[in-house]
Amino acid sequence: MAHLLHVDSSITGERSISRRLTARAAAAWRAAHPDGTVTYRDLGQNPLPHLNTASGLARMVPPDQHTPDQQASWRLTEAVVAEVKQADTVLLGLPLYNYGPPSSVKSWVDHLIAPGIAYDPATNAGLLGDRQFVVLVSRGGGYGPGTPREGWDHAEPWLPHGLSLTGLEPRFICAELTLAPVNPAMTELIPLFEQSLAAAERAVDELWLPASAAA
């Protein structure tokens, strides 16, 4: 039976464009997999704890030597990795905050870099790569080639590197200029935002179309 892992990270609730896109993608996935099941994780509402001095070494110390804090952290890591392993498709909402990923996504990635369960420490072979990984990106501004802030997006370029040990390979679908409707200084960019959002929504709608319909 097909299984979807749907992960959101935006802190802006119903105003979030990344949540709008992940919800649309999840609905399209359900339509294509009517008997499928879904696991949902909301990192914006319930972020995973960041690795710290008490817990972080759980990934470097044999389990039989774990302190209570390390044991608790490792168990959480096992649960996070298991969610990915159980899924045929992973959806991740990735808004751009302060030119980088939300810290909750960084923590999620840190928990996924787990030797023995997410990658083979002897060979560095990824153990999570045999699944679809779709990342729905939202950016408040424009960061494409030729724009004043070209290269300022440090979320999308980072994610494939951050997850490279696991074998997960993201496919990105992006809507940008998402602040145009609410920022008076960006009013003239609203048509470009609408075009970007419409293109992202079309890309989402085509993700699980039958081959004959997509042709």
Side-chain angles (χ1 to χ4, degrees):
M1 182 182 295
H3 185 71
L4 171 70
L5 173 60
H6 176 180
V7 181
D8 278 322
S9 64
S10 171
I11 61 172
T12 59
E14 294 181 357
R15 296 185 291 115
S16 167
I17 296 298
S18 67
R19 286 180 184 269
R20 173 172 168 173
L21 290 173
T22 62
R24 189 182 187 101
W29 185 91
R30 287 188 180 95
H33 305 87
D35 297 323
T37 55
V38 179
T39 295
Y40 181 66
R41 180 177 284 277
D42 191 336
L43 298 173
Q45 188 172 37
N46 296 297
L48 298 170
H50 288 281
L51 306 186
N52 58 31
T53 55
S55 65
L57 293 181
R59 288 130 204 92
M60 305 174 190
V61 175
D64 61 358
Q65 298 177 26
H66 281 172
T67 66
D69 285 336
Q70 290 169 350
Q71 185 179 62
S73 180
W74 182 250
R75 285 177 177 170
L76 180 57
T77 283
E78 288 179 319
V80 171
V81 172
E83 286 180 348
V84 173
K85 284 187 171 181
Q86 290 161 7
D88 306 288
T89 298
V90 179
L91 291 178
L92 172 65
L94 183 66
L96 185 67
Y97 290 162
N98 299 319
Y99 311 113
S103 65
S104 61
V105 173
K106 178 60 167 65
S107 181
W108 182 72
V109 168
D110 286 344
H111 279 277
L112 286 175
I113 308 303
I117 56 176
Y119 71 93
D120 183 337
T123 64
N124 283 339
L127 303 178
L128 304 182
D130 193 19
R131 55 193 37 80
Q132 185 181 30
F133 183 31
V134 180
V135 181
L136 290 311
V137 178
S138 62
R139 305 182 187 124
Y143 302 90
T147 62
R149 291 183 175 174
E150 178 183 354
W152 285 41
D153 173 3
H154 300 289
E156 183 174 325
W158 158 78
L159 188 63
H161 299 158
L163 286 170
S164 59
L165 272 177
T166 71
L168 285 169
E169 297 182 355
R171 172 186 173 179
F172 293 100
I173 297 174
C174 178
E176 62 178 8
L177 300 170
T178 62
L179 290 178
V182 298
N183 185 342
M186 298 175 65
T187 299
E188 65 181 18
L189 299 174
I190 289 176
L192 292 177
F193 156 67
E194 292 173 342
Q195 292 173 21
S196 178
L197 179 59
E201 290 178 336
R202 286 195 301 272
V204 165
D205 293 344
E206 294 171 358
L207 281 169
W208 299 286
L209 285 177
S212 57

